[in-house]
Amino acid sequence: MAVTLKFGDKVTVADVRKLQDMEDVVFDREWFERTYERNKDMYYMFRDLAKSDADHGAIESHHLRYDITKIPPGMLGSEYVKTVGHYHPPVPGTDVSYPEIYQVLDGSATYLLQKVEPGEEDIVLDVAVIKAEKGDLVLVPPGYGHVTINASDKTLEMANWVCRDFSSVYEPIKRLSGAAYFLLKDGFAKNPLYRDIPPIRYLKPLGFDEIGLVSGESMYDLVNRAEKLRFLSAPQDYMGFLAGVL
């Protein structure tokens, strides 16, 4: 049965991540091999949302996309449920990759961001972890891959704004069986397939005024001020701002 979300006057069907889609990035391999429910739903992605046709036209005209993801609580064996994780490609003609911004709509999220040596994805230059609660904003700057973890007992619902002109890059994280760290019941554990991993830097969520929002506002309201989000489609023009978010 399809999972849907009503957003404004639109109903969107979810793109569903199943347990079988997580096979390459699960820490607890013994648990996975013993599990027969490979078709079990892990999380739901509702992409390219808009509350009206007019809003969608405005979003498209600024080369943006607004998504909502729902991650029910659960465990992947000894590991908390998470997204697969991915990187973003560079803006054509530049060496600057596309950023992305998230807002927690409900529940609690743990965002793990990692920057690796170009061309050597198993050498990690930086790892940042940001714990975010309802209303908090987290910006993934250029050069960072990211994984979202739900380490709570409540469904995590989060929104994101991102440039609509690219596709996410999953292969480097899948090839290394996950990000540089896994979040287990007893804390973070290093991924042994990476050659070099620095200690985690624990950071706070982004300030609202940095993108023109008032605390407590929905990030979707930027649909009426989409020029505030130009840093998502042309990050090469905003490196002063983007370099300071982590």
Side-chain angles (χ1 to χ4, degrees):
M1 183 177 178
V3 178
T4 61
L5 174 72
K6 190 173 190 302
F7 191 73
D9 59 5
K10 308 288 185 181
V11 175
T12 300
V13 176
D15 182 359
V16 182
R17 281 279 189 271
K18 304 281 189 177
L19 178 56
Q20 62 197 16
D21 301 320
M22 308 291 292
E23 179 174 5
D24 293 333
V25 298
V26 171
F27 170 82
D28 194 338
R29 302 304 308 173
E30 290 185 8
W31 168 83
F32 186 85
E33 295 304 327
R34 295 195 308 267
T35 300
Y36 293 100
E37 294 182 278
R38 302 289 177 87
N39 202 42
K40 181 180 178 181
D41 292 358
M42 290 287 100
Y43 58 96
Y44 309 96
M45 298 170 289
F46 304 91
R47 293 192 171 109
D48 201 12
L49 300 175
K51 291 185 175 180
S52 66
D53 289 338
D55 280 4
H56 193 264
I59 292 168
E60 276 195 313
S61 71
H62 286 87
H63 301 272
L64 297 172
R65 197 182 74 223
Y66 183 84
D67 309 325
I68 289 177
T69 301
K70 293 186 178 184
I71 308 176
M75 301 297 298
L76 302 169
S78 59
E79 180 185 12
Y80 287 104
V81 66
K82 64 183 181 181
T83 59
V84 173
H86 62 264
Y87 293 93
H88 297 163
V91 177
T94 80
D95 60 357
V96 179
S97 64
Y98 289 98
E100 186 168 7
I101 189 165
Y102 287 88
Q103 184 174 42
V104 175
L105 303 178
D106 202 13
S108 174
T110 301
Y111 295 95
L112 187 150
L113 286 63
Q114 65 180 44
K115 185 176 184 178
V116 298
E117 185 73 35
E120 296 186 82
E121 288 91 356
D122 59 346
I123 298 178
V124 186
L125 303 176
D126 185 36
V127 179
V129 166
I130 304 170
K131 180 75 176 292
E133 305 293 340
K134 184 175 180 177
D136 287 340
L137 299 169
V138 173
L139 201 162
V140 181
Y144 282 78
H146 56 102
V147 173
T148 305
I149 305 160
N150 183 1
S152 75
D153 58 1
K154 184 176 181 180
T155 294
L156 164 63
E157 183 174 344
M158 62 184 181
N160 68 275
W161 280 111
V162 70
C163 179
R164 67 189 302 118
D165 298 339
F166 72 90
S167 296
S168 297
V169 181
Y170 294 90
E171 180 54 34
I173 286 181
K174 287 186 174 183
R175 186 167 59 248
L176 289 162
S177 298
Y181 286 89
F182 303 97
L183 183 50
L184 313 181
K185 290 179 181 178
D186 55 355
F188 281 100
K190 287 185 177 180
N191 183 335
L193 295 185
Y194 286 79
R195 278 189 285 164
D196 192 17
I197 304 174
I200 294 172
R201 294 192 299 126
Y202 292 91
L203 304 176
K204 294 181 179 180
L206 190 72
F208 285 90
D209 56 348
E210 294 176 84
I211 62 165
L213 278 180
V214 175
S215 179
E217 279 188 1
S218 165
M219 193 171 65
Y220 182 80
D221 293 344
L222 289 169
V223 69
N224 299 312
R225 292 167 281 154
E227 67 280 357
K228 294 280 188 181
L229 294 169
R230 187 174 177 272
F231 66 89
L232 295 173
S233 57
Q236 67 275 14
D237 296 338
Y238 295 84
M239 290 307 294
F241 160 58
L242 293 168
V245 300
L246 292 184

